[in-house]
Amino acid sequence: MDQKMPTAKIVASSTAGELVCAAAGRISTTQGTSLEILARSKEKENNATLIEKVVASGHQSLVEHAMFTIAFDSVSVCTEEFVIEYRLASFTVQSRRYVDFTNVGCYTPELPAALDAPYRDHMAGLFDTYAKLLALDIPKEDARFVLPYCFRSNFYCTMNARELMHMISAMLWGRGSVFPELKMLGESLKSQFEEYFPNLLNQMQAKYHADKTRFALPEALGDIPEPQCREAKAVLLNSTPNTAEIVQMAAPANGMLTPNTDGLALADIVHGERPRELELLHATFRVENLSLAAVTHLVRHRMQSVLVPQITQAVLKNTYLLPKTVADNPQAKAVYETAFAENAAALRKFLADGLPISAVQYFALAGNQIDVVCCMNGRELEHFFALRTCRRAQWEIRAVAVSLLKQLRAQSPEVYKLMGPSCYVTGKCPEGRLSCGQAALVRQEFE
């Protein structure tokens, strides 16, 4: 496999980032209009110093006016999982559902010299297993579950300067600093960021420190258990009661000068132009035994609070997902289950031979599972269900979404019976030529 190093490169940025940020720093205490202050800022020589002074005083919001787009190239998917947890950002990721990853290659972490070749051989074997499953007519979206989490990922990320500072700091001095790959990428991004704002990151270092107990890696791990097959399960932990009453009570506050909500049906509010009332509703739920591959489908919903364990926990838990397409094919099932068993055995040997704890995460397979906790408001839940209960959704996350919607309907039927896939809610399928062609059956299912 190739030796290409992972990179993170700033490929685009605001054309007047420093100028706009400096003007933003002046506007709260300076007489004049926005455009006048911007014009005067063009003549100032102390813009950078002003920005540093304002940020040092705790007012970091002004640097949110500077935007950056980063191309993550040939990084491990472990790095992808770390980055996509940052909520104030936009991401576009190369899909493992549609792209063939047979020859994508893998990242090799820092290893003792004696383990380097065996590591590459082991990972190459897992890529061969992926290719075997494809040859047995297993769909890409199901064959991907045997891919090791050192496989290379490519994606774009756009975030403002404040969020980028937060991410770089976590890579260099926070919870990401214990992983050499993340620290290397953080150092690269720091040097690039300093070309735009030379001293801001130096102010951040004191606020970020690797937690010596909660986020530190242990010196040793317990035994790696034998892999066991499990199914994902959604568990509703808590939800807002009296949802219909809350939505209808709040409706008069969401209108024009003389809002008239007399006779306004609940459906008119929920499916209205500006259903802010739904943001007063909340649901907290846990997804047990969610595959690492499906985590992306969940966390890409930005307007939520989501807690995702570090990937090494999936290795230590060592449960895995078994797709129906694989279970129904005896030859593929044998290949698939052997991959998980042999991966666990190999990891035990690598650990005995001195594998660093920081490298264990790369032995996770995409089908290994973790437990994730989420909290969404009603408006995001409506969006989540519209996308994830659709038959075009990946089957694992769809089963989770359908189960969660059933549980919410059982507690608050008036509001949540109005949610579901787009064809059920609007009567139209938005998928065009990719439609499942069974909108009538889907609507019947959710009615």
Side-chain angles (χ1 to χ4, degrees), residues 293-327:
V295 168
T296 302
H297 300 297
L298 180 63
V299 301
R300 68 187 303 172
H301 291 268
R302 317 310 301 159
M303 303 304 295
Q304 65 165 319
S305 297
V306 56
L307 299 176
V308 181
Q310 204 281 322
I311 289 172
T312 306
Q313 289 194 30
V315 181
L316 300 179
K317 183 179 179 183
N318 209 17
T319 60
Y320 67 93
L321 182 71
L322 180 63
K324 187 176 187 303
T325 57
V326 174

Side-chain angles (χ1 to χ4, degrees), residues 5-6 75-76 78-79 107-111 170-172 174-188 217 310 356-362:
M5 292 297 291
V75 300
S76 77
C78 289
T79 287
Y107 168 72
T108 300
E110 297 178 3
L111 298 171
M171 288 177 164
L172 290 178
R175 61 190 176 89
S177 63
V178 297
F179 300 102
E181 181 188 7
L182 285 173
K183 192 160 188 178
M184 176 192 68
L185 292 171
E187 289 168 349
S188 173
L217 291 175
Q310 204 281 322
I357 303 300
S358 61
V360 171
Q361 62 174 350
Y362 300 112

Side-chain angles (χ1 to χ4, degrees), residues 14 17 20-21 24 51 55 59-68 88 159-165 197 200:
S14 304
V20 174
C21 290
I51 293 170
V55 169
H59 300 285
Q60 297 181 352
S61 60
L62 81 162
V63 294
E64 294 174 17
H65 298 289
M67 299 297 296
F68 296 89
L88 302 179
M159 56 178 62
N160 65 45
R162 183 176 186 175
E163 190 74 347
L164 181 54
M165 288 166 61
F197 298 101
L200 289 186

